[in-house]
Amino acid sequence: MNRIAEQLFVSYGLLSKLIDDVPEDDPFDPISTKKMLQHVANELADYSTDLSDSAKSNKER
């Protein structure tokens, strides 16, 4: 589980770099393509952290 979390976090980093190159459609649009992609990437990072924490918790048991 911890290895999957690490791979997800690496994917988050790569995805974030790609998103940086996406042009902003409208900086004032709260649901622009770039902002939605950033949201998805952040959710991926959060999931990675949760998975890592869960793996540590299970290991301690």
Side-chain angles (χ1 to χ4, degrees):
M1 202 175 346
N2 201 28
R3 188 170 16 140
I4 293 170
E6 289 172 6
Q7 291 172 344
L8 286 173
F9 196 73
V10 169
S11 297
Y12 160 75
L14 295 172
L15 186 58
S16 292
K17 288 179 183 179
L18 290 172
I19 292 170
D20 286 341
D21 293 337
V22 173
E24 184 71 67
D25 301 334
D26 178 2
F28 301 106
D29 182 3
I31 57 170
S32 69
T33 302
K34 186 170 186 168
K35 288 178 183 150
M36 290 304 292
L37 290 171
Q38 288 169 334
H39 175 73
V40 169
N42 290 337
E43 288 294 318
L44 182 64
D46 290 344
Y47 181 66
S48 172
T49 301
D50 292 347
L51 197 57
S52 180
D53 290 346
S54 180
K56 287 177 187 174
S57 174
N58 288 340
K59 195 174 190 179
E60 292 173 356
R61 290 182 190 182

